[in-house]
Amino acid sequence: MTHWIRFRDGAGSIGFGTLDQHSGRVVQHDGTMFDNPRPTDISYAADDLTLLAPCQPSKVIALWNNYYALSQKLDKAPPQHPLFLIKPPMSVIGPHESIRRPKSYQGKIAYEGELGIVIGKTVSGASVEEAEAAIFGYTCVNDVTAIELLQEDPNFAQWCRSKGFDTFTCLGPSIATGFDWRTANVVTTLEGVERQNYPLDDMIFSPAEQVSLLSQDMTLVPGDVIACGTSIGVGSIKDGARVDVSIAGIGTLSNVLAV
Amino acid sequence: MTHWIRFRDGAGSIGFGTLDQHSGRVVQHDGTMFDNPRPTDISYAADDLTLLAPCQPSKVIALWNNYYALSQKLDKAPPQHPLFLIKPPMSVIGPHESIRRPKSYQGKIAYEGELGIVIGKTVSGASVEEAEAAIFGYTCVNDVTAIELLQEDPNFAQWCRSKGFDTFTCLGPSIATGFDWRTANVVTTLEGVERQNYPLDDMIFSPAEQVSLLSQDMTLVPGDVIACGTSIGVGSIKDGARVDVSIAGIGTLSNVLAV
């Protein structure tokens, strides 16, 4: 398993590389993360770097109703095709960046801990096997939602608006390649108290199935992220509170809702 | 009024510039379209160029229920805030490019002729006056929809999926600056037969109001497009049929649904 990160160094330059989770050393790479990255002879202590979102998606595709446990709780049938909305690029932030409350909104803001699929190859109309090969790796996602806007208009569920605000897509800390999602859980804590702990093998559409089916809908390009949907335990974040989304094998994504 | 276009020249290079609609001459510019473009001494006959989509949006924000005539026909109250979905960058095509039927979909495909707002400055939390100043110009949009997918799942309206397919956002032919939307109509023809002809001054949220309110939701960046929503007269396109969206002062956007 390799852990890829993007970072800003002490001089303000942006780079990317691999993180050794035991030693805490980062080996800078050049080229691009998704196409023949080459190690340089520059390395850092991770503690000396500012982590950034590990990729810069052209789009984030966020699924709804993709876990059996949640579909049963909501009493909704499992879908026949992934149900999704699109989150814009400007919604993305990295580890330890603050989630910002929209100035125009005083209502509840919800966390949703999720697995994120990071695309490594351009794919369109992919078979499940081709889709599997197009997955670069996996990251943690906090899919933040201004939940009271969702049903504000009785005629139109405002998925893109309630989830599309700047800073409402937290990604990171790393992208893990060779990660076996079948044996991991998503654990979300709020101010250190566990609120979600659900197994990824409860997913309705597996990652490769998601990539295959979504690639029938639109071309996916390197760096795009699919947020696999959340399961039970979603709740709201008080201003100033910290949300940690942890997936063993990937790491812990930590963000505070700014006061 | 200036008409900005993007194009591919005979040698395959991509450029941008201004089109004189009377002479048909294009003056190539360098720099960027939205920040101090400078005329070069290179010009072309427009007929020798392949027009491309006039901008490359990071996101297309597409409004629903933004005309009084359509809201009355649908018997839906005018919204309090623009209702929108997000279309991904890969959905964009230019004039005369073919709309492609998704391989996975055999149902009806609908046209929607619309005005498109092209953002020229990065804006967030803009007043109506600031929003007006952030509008670079206007273009024509055909907001294509795989209409039978929209309500396929009873629990989730699939706006992003039904409108997000590759080639489902036709833009062009030009971006007109200094365009007075208040006095123009959107005219959509299908195989030369008029199907839509509605006045832009029937809009619920004016362009500057849209930009102001949407900029409360997310940062808008140069090249982003807001599709202002459509009015009455939407219909479906047979395979092989041509749709023309015309707005006097901007031009005619013509696209065929490929057989």
Side-chain angles (χ1 to χ4, degrees):
Chain A
M1 203 146 60
T2 302
H3 293 90
W4 291 93
I5 60 166
R6 284 176 67 247
F7 60 81
R8 184 180 294 113
D9 68 22
S13 296
I14 291 174
F16 75 98
T18 53
L19 168 67
D20 182 318
Q21 290 191 323
H22 297 289
S23 68
R25 295 297 297 181
V26 173
V27 176
Q28 185 160 2
H29 282 56
D30 60 21
T32 69
M33 194 184 288
F34 305 111
D35 184 19
N36 194 27
R38 295 173 300 273
T40 68
D41 54 10
I42 303 168
S43 73
Y44 303 90
D47 289 348
D48 294 338
L49 299 172
T50 301
L51 289 188
L52 303 175
C55 57
Q56 298 175 286
S58 77
K59 55 189 170 286
V60 175
I61 301 174
L63 269 65
W64 178 77
N65 194 12
N66 193 36
Y67 284 88
Y68 288 106
L70 185 61
S71 76
Q72 284 163 18
K73 186 183 173 200
L74 298 176
D75 195 24
K76 305 288 187 193
Q80 300 298 305
H81 186 94
L83 301 172
F84 67 87
L85 58 117
I86 293 176
K87 306 186 77 168
M90 292 287 288
S91 69
V92 172
I93 60 171
H96 305 298
E97 287 191 72
S98 291
I99 303 162
R100 294 194 315 271
R101 172 179 289 280
K103 286 181 185 151
S104 55
Y105 177 72
Q106 295 310 316
K108 287 183 180 169
I109 293 178
Y111 60 83
E112 297 184 3
E114 305 189 4
L115 178 70
I117 303 166
V118 180
I119 299 296
K121 295 177 186 170
T122 299
V123 274
S124 173
S127 67
V128 173
E129 293 69 28
E130 291 164 340
E132 182 72 48
I135 296 174
F136 178 76
Y138 295 90
T139 192
C140 305
V141 180
N142 185 356
D143 178 15
V144 182
T145 312
I147 196 74
E148 294 176 30
L149 293 179
L150 184 55
Q151 304 296 349
E152 188 187 55
D153 187 288
N155 300 311
F156 188 94
Q158 296 186 71
W159 290 101
C160 288
R161 183 178 176 216
S162 63
K163 290 173 173 283
F165 290 95
D166 294 359
T167 76
F168 271 33
T169 305
C170 314
L171 300 181
S174 71
I175 304 168
T177 62
F179 167 76
D180 182 9
W181 59 270
R182 289 169 191 79
T183 60
N185 277 35
V186 175
V187 179
T188 309
T189 65
L190 179 66
E191 290 287 272
V193 178
E194 187 176 295
R195 297 299 188 100
Q196 297 191 287
N197 187 341
Y198 64 88
L200 289 167
D201 72 358
D202 184 49
M203 266 192 271
I204 295 171
F205 296 104
S206 73
E209 288 169 343
Q210 290 176 54
V211 172
S212 172
L213 289 165
L214 293 170
S215 82
Q216 323 294 321
D217 295 339
M218 63 185 77
T219 299
L220 306 174
V221 300
D224 281 353
V225 170
I226 300 168
C228 295
T230 199
S231 191
I232 52 178
V234 170
S236 67
I237 320 170
K238 287 210 167 65
D239 291 3
R242 193 181 85 244
V243 179
D244 293 344
V245 179
S246 299
I247 301 175
I250 300 174
T252 295
L253 169 66
S254 185
N255 300 89
V256 168
L257 175 57
V259 177
Chain B
M1 204 148 59
T2 302
H3 294 89
W4 291 93
I5 61 167
R6 285 176 66 246
F7 59 81
R8 185 181 292 112
D9 68 21
S13 295
I14 291 174
F16 76 99
T18 54
L19 167 67
D20 183 317
Q21 289 191 325
H22 296 289
S23 68
R25 296 296 297 181
V26 173
V27 176
Q28 186 160 2
H29 282 56
D30 60 21
T32 70
M33 193 184 287
F34 305 112
D35 185 18
N36 194 26
R38 295 174 300 272
T40 69
D41 55 8
I42 304 169
S43 72
Y44 303 90
D47 290 347
D48 293 339
L49 300 172
T50 302
L51 288 188
L52 304 175
C55 57
Q56 299 175 286
S58 77
K59 55 189 170 285
V60 175
I61 301 174
L63 268 65
W64 178 77
N65 193 14
N66 193 36
Y67 284 87
Y68 288 106
L70 185 62
S71 75
Q72 285 163 18
K73 186 183 173 201
L74 298 175
D75 194 24
K76 305 288 188 193
Q80 299 299 306
H81 186 94
L83 301 172
F84 67 87
L85 59 117
I86 293 175
K87 306 186 76 167
M90 291 288 288
S91 70
V92 171
I93 61 173
H96 306 297
E97 287 191 72
S98 291
I99 303 163
R100 295 195 315 271
R101 172 179 287 281
K103 285 182 185 150
S104 55
Y105 178 73
Q106 296 309 316
K108 285 183 180 168
I109 294 177
Y111 60 83
E112 298 183 3
E114 306 188 6
L115 177 70
I117 302 166
V118 181
I119 299 296
K121 295 177 187 170
T122 298
V123 274
S124 173
S127 67
V128 173
E129 294 69 27
E130 291 164 341
E132 183 72 47
I135 296 174
F136 178 77
Y138 296 89
T139 192
C140 305
V141 180
N142 184 356
D143 178 16
V144 181
T145 311
I147 195 75
E148 294 176 32
L149 293 179
L150 183 55
Q151 304 296 349
E152 189 187 53
D153 187 289
N155 300 311
F156 188 94
Q158 296 186 71
W159 290 100
C160 289
R161 183 179 176 213
S162 62
K163 290 174 173 282
F165 290 96
D166 293 0
T167 76
F168 271 32
T169 305
C170 314
L171 299 181
S174 72
I175 304 168
T177 63
F179 167 76
D180 182 9
W181 59 271
R182 291 169 190 80
T183 60
N185 278 33
V186 175
V187 179
T188 309
T189 66
L190 179 66
E191 290 287 271
V193 179
E194 187 176 296
R195 297 299 186 100
Q196 297 190 287
N197 188 340
Y198 65 88
L200 288 168
D201 72 359
D202 184 49
M203 267 193 271
I204 296 172
F205 297 104
S206 73
E209 287 169 344
Q210 290 176 55
V211 172
S212 172
L213 289 166
L214 293 170
S215 82
Q216 322 296 322
D217 295 341
M218 64 185 76
T219 299
L220 306 173
V221 299
D224 281 354
V225 170
I226 300 169
C228 295
T230 199
S231 191
I232 52 181
V234 170
S236 67
I237 320 169
K238 287 211 166 66
D239 292 2
R242 193 181 86 245
V243 178
D244 292 345
V245 180
S246 299
I247 302 175
I250 301 175
T252 295
L253 169 67
S254 184
N255 300 88
V256 168
L257 175 58
V259 175

